[in-house]
Amino acid sequence: MIFILPTIFHEDERYYAMGRGSFLKRFGYAVTRVAVTPDYNGHNTMNASELLGRGIAQGISLSYYPSQTRTASEIASKYGYAILRDASTNAFREFWPDIAVHVLHRHP
């Protein structure tokens, strides 16, 4: 179900690294990509497929947890952690080429 959301909302879910600019600008760009994504025409739009998809995934996962842990705060915490994890993954994708060159001394 979640894989179909980008098609429904006409969003391009791929992460495109900025690659140039200051650390803060690139980091900010990477982190905001969980909330902003290009549509099929290349215009920035709300990343509904990410935000709703994570919500759907959390809703499905509720059936696996004991009822005492199905509180609103627990659900919000798990949802927030999932979004934070995706933002962190985007930041890693943004800076991995720099890490590979400057720390691991791998040149493409």
Side-chain angles (χ1 to χ4, degrees):
M1 173 66 180
I2 295 170
F3 66 89
I4 198 96
L5 291 176
T7 303
I8 292 170
F9 292 113
H10 304 287
E11 296 172 348
D12 186 354
E13 278 293 298
R14 294 174 288 181
Y15 177 76
Y16 296 99
M18 181 178 269
R20 294 180 187 251
S22 70
F23 173 82
L24 287 177
K25 185 173 183 175
R26 290 173 64 192
F27 184 78
Y29 168 81
V31 170
T32 60
R33 295 296 101 180
V34 295
V36 178
T37 193
D39 61 13
Y40 287 172
N41 297 319
H43 302 104
N44 284 335
T45 185
M46 182 182 83
N47 196 347
S49 55
E50 167 75 20
L51 300 173
L52 289 174
R54 288 291 166 214
I56 291 169
Q58 291 305 315
I60 292 169
S61 73
L62 284 177
S63 63
Y64 294 102
Y65 290 103
S67 60
Q68 64 267 23
T69 63
R70 295 183 198 170
T71 64
S73 64
E74 281 293 321
I75 295 166
S77 174
K78 287 177 176 42
Y79 179 79
Y81 177 72
I83 296 295
L84 180 64
R85 187 178 60 236
D86 290 344
S88 299
T89 300
N90 285 350
F92 181 77
R93 288 177 182 166
E94 179 67 38
F95 293 106
W96 174 248
D98 297 329
I99 294 168
V101 169
H102 297 295
V103 176
L104 303 177
H105 305 292
R106 294 182 184 171
H107 297 282

